[in-house]
Amino acid sequence: MKRLIILLFTACLAISFSSCADRQPTEGSTPPVIESEESYDTVQEPEPQPEPQPESEPEPFPGKIAIITTMPTGDFCYYSAMPIIEKYGSSKVLHRTLPLLYSSDAEEIINIVAELGADIDVKAIVVNPAVMGANLAFEKLRELRKDIYVVYCAPDISYGETQQQAVDRTMQTADLVISSDENNIASSNVRQAQKLGAETFVHYSVQDYWWDSTKLRRRELVKQTCNDLSINFIDVKVPESILGNASAFTEFFRNDIYDRVNKCGKNTAFFCSYSGLDSVFILSAVGAGAIYSQSGYPSYFYGIVEAFYEIEVGLLKHFKTDSIGYVMGKPYLSYSEFLMSKAKPLLAREDMLGRLSAWPVEERFMYTIAAAEYAVKWINGEVPKEGVDVDVLKQLMEDFAGVEVYLTPYTDEYPYTENGTGETYDNFLMMTMDYITFE
């Protein structure tokens, strides 16, 4: 009996193994899925997520702005547009140049403004300098478009009509006008000379400029400020015979400056309304050990740089360029400190430290940059649509210059009118700034 049970068990096992063998997967087949009553947690691989795309930079302002300057061969204003183009890109900032003979080519100026005005994306136009033909061109533009923000820099209001008529026309076509404050420049020049130790102030009057009421007014303000500060004022009339003769001009100033220092002492400051030979004045003052608080054109580049040729060469090498105009458009700290470091040993050699000063930047460069940045804020709604936020404009200028800037509204008594009423133009701002001293 026991033997029979073993045989039956063995037979059952054989049948079982045979059945299992029949169910084995063949090569290339898919194994069966065995379901179990028990539940198991399985780890599933996460589905791949798309990589985050970098966010595109927001547009700095809607539309475009345009800058109109002189040509590179005509004036350094051309280069003042470059920092703005570099910052926002040539697709956002259009740059056009006035004809070389802009004083006699009003039709071309009209065409330039009309072309820009026809571009509906142009939201603001900055003109530097605002030459005589600008008023007429923008009068025609205003007939079609009143939505463009217009800024005039260094407007020409000296010819063809009375000054008051020119100012009135300017304010009808421009939303903002920026110019240098000749009145305050004259008096601040004398105050700066006193800070440098001046006891005598010599003012050279070039007769060829006497028809200019602005320069006549400036001479009177220099004289008045000297009297107020108890500084000896000496007015020297430059002989007409030497005008136009560069060598005679140079010889006259060198001899006269040395003679007056011998007579009045080294605490004598010199100024000439003729800015064509600033380097001659500065080198003569330095050679005589005198005081030079401000050149005829108060920026570095119409005096200090031209006077010290090695400084100009050093600046060009420093900025890797062959254009001094390009250098003038660089931010204040980058070239001002460099210039100071190069001028200091030269002036120390002549015992002239603390006796020479200038404005820290070329103001027309500052006008373009500050005006363009203000126009961007206007487009973006960050400043009022009507009027001018003077504090914002002042800060933009100070950011570029690195010194305090002063803005004064124009009145019709400025700089000289016989029948002024004292009316103030809040959108017409006159600028002056603090000096830096080479010490």
Side-chain angles (χ1 to χ4, degrees):
M1 187 65 180
K2 181 178 180 181
R3 185 179 181 86
L4 181 60
I5 292 171
I6 292 172
L7 287 174
L8 289 172
F9 182 72
T10 303
C12 289
L13 283 175
I15 294 170
S16 175
F17 278 119
S18 175
S19 175
C20 287
D22 290 342
R23 292 197 300 268
Q24 293 298 314
T26 60
E27 186 177 351
S29 64
T30 303
V33 177
I34 300 174
E35 294 184 358
S36 171
E37 294 180 1
E38 299 184 48
S39 173
Y40 297 93
D41 290 331
T42 57
V43 178
Q44 296 183 351
E45 291 292 330
E47 292 185 9
Q49 299 294 323
E51 292 186 7
Q53 297 296 319
E55 293 184 10
S56 58
E57 295 207 2
E59 191 178 33
F61 56 91
K64 309 171 190 174
I65 61 174
I67 300 174
I68 302 175
T69 68
T70 48
M71 299 176 70
T73 53
D75 197 280
F76 288 145
C77 282
Y78 173 86
Y79 297 96
S80 66
M82 301 309 168
I84 300 298
I85 296 173
E86 184 177 343
K87 179 176 180 179
Y88 293 112
S90 56
S91 63
K92 300 293 289 182
V93 182
L94 309 180
H95 186 199
R96 300 292 183 267
T97 55
L98 297 165
L100 190 59
L101 301 177
Y102 53 78
S103 60
S104 58
D105 200 350
E107 192 63 34
E108 179 61 21
I109 299 173
I110 292 173
N111 291 338
I112 291 169
V113 174
E115 175 217 336
L116 293 172
D119 186 344
I120 197 67
D121 288 331
V122 172
K123 307 298 183 185
I125 302 177
V126 176
V127 191
N128 188 10
V131 297
M132 285 181 286
N135 272 338
L136 181 58
F138 280 95
E139 282 174 2
K140 293 182 177 297
L141 176 66
R142 289 300 195 199
E143 293 174 3
L144 302 174
R145 291 192 61 186
K146 301 185 186 302
D147 60 321
I148 293 182
Y149 192 77
V150 177
V151 184
Y152 290 166
C153 303
D156 189 346
I157 54 175
S158 303
Y159 305 95
E161 54 193 343
T162 68
Q163 183 163 297
Q164 192 55 48
Q165 288 173 333
V167 170
D168 287 339
R169 288 187 64 192
T170 296
M171 299 314 298
Q172 289 171 7
T173 55
D175 297 285
L176 170 62
V177 182
I178 309 170
S179 188
S180 58
D181 190 337
E182 294 291 342
N183 280 358
N184 283 327
I185 289 173
S187 54
S188 62
N189 182 12
V190 179
R191 290 193 295 270
Q192 176 67 11
Q194 186 187 48
K195 289 180 182 178
L196 301 182
E199 298 168 356
T200 299
F201 194 100
V202 179
H203 178 280
Y204 290 99
S205 297
V206 180
Q207 295 180 15
D208 195 34
Y209 277 49
W210 282 7
W211 53 266
D212 190 329
S213 63
T214 300
K215 289 183 172 61
L216 287 173
R217 175 66 172 161
R218 181 169 62 187
R219 175 190 173 278
E220 293 305 310
L221 287 170
V222 167
K223 181 179 180 179
Q224 177 184 327
T225 308
C226 284
N227 291 336
D228 293 341
L229 299 177
S230 300
I231 295 175
N232 182 31
F233 174 77
I234 299 175
D235 188 47
V236 179
K237 293 182 179 180
V238 178
E240 290 185 72
S241 59
I242 69 170
L243 297 178
N245 186 330
S247 59
F249 207 81
T250 300
E251 183 180 3
F252 168 80
F253 277 102
R254 283 179 177 164
N255 291 338
D256 198 76
I257 287 173
Y258 276 85
D259 288 346
R260 293 189 187 279
V261 167
N262 288 333
K263 292 176 183 176
C264 304
K266 290 190 174 184
N267 286 340
T268 302
F270 293 88
F271 175 80
C272 182
S273 59
Y274 183 78
S275 60
L277 291 172
D278 277 343
S279 59
V280 173
F281 307 144
I282 292 173
L283 289 175
S284 298
V286 169
I291 290 172
Y292 205 89
S293 53
Q294 176 189 297
S295 60
Y297 199 85
S299 75
Y300 284 152
F301 298 92
Y302 284 79
I304 306 295
V305 170
E306 293 176 355
F308 301 109
Y309 177 71
E310 52 265 60
I311 294 180
E312 180 174 356
V313 173
L315 279 167
L316 295 177
K317 288 181 178 178
H318 178 71
F319 287 104
K320 297 180 177 61
T321 179
D322 58 0
S323 167
I324 197 65
Y326 173 82
V327 173
M328 290 164 64
K330 288 298 173 183
Y332 165 77
L333 292 177
S334 59
Y335 68 78
S336 168
E337 290 181 351
F338 175 84
L339 182 59
M340 293 282 279
S341 68
K342 293 296 181 183
K344 194 169 182 176
L346 298 174
L347 297 173
R349 215 164 48 221
E350 301 290 338
D351 195 25
M352 280 291 291
L353 291 177
R355 299 174 71 78
L356 199 68
S357 62
W359 276 6
V361 295
E362 216 287 344
E363 70 265 34
R364 289 176 299 174
F365 268 82
M366 184 176 68
Y367 293 162
T368 298
I369 292 167
E373 294 288 10
Y374 190 90
V376 168
K377 290 182 179 296
W378 184 88
I379 294 170
N380 287 334
E382 298 171 17
V383 293
K385 289 297 181 182
E386 301 292 333
V388 180
D389 189 325
V390 178
D391 290 337
V392 170
L393 182 61
K394 172 182 163 71
Q395 187 62 56
L396 289 170
M397 291 183 174
E398 291 177 348
D399 289 344
F400 182 77
V403 296
E404 188 164 0
V405 171
Y406 309 93
L407 296 173
T408 305
Y410 179 96
T411 73
D412 69 355
E413 295 175 340
Y414 176 95
Y416 174 77
T417 52
E418 293 181 358
N419 301 309
T421 63
E423 182 180 354
T424 298
Y425 297 79
D426 292 331
N427 289 21
F428 192 151
L429 296 170
M430 315 299 291
M431 188 282 308
T432 188
M433 72 180 88
D434 281 342
Y435 298 86
I436 63 166
T437 301
F438 294 82
E439 55 188 358

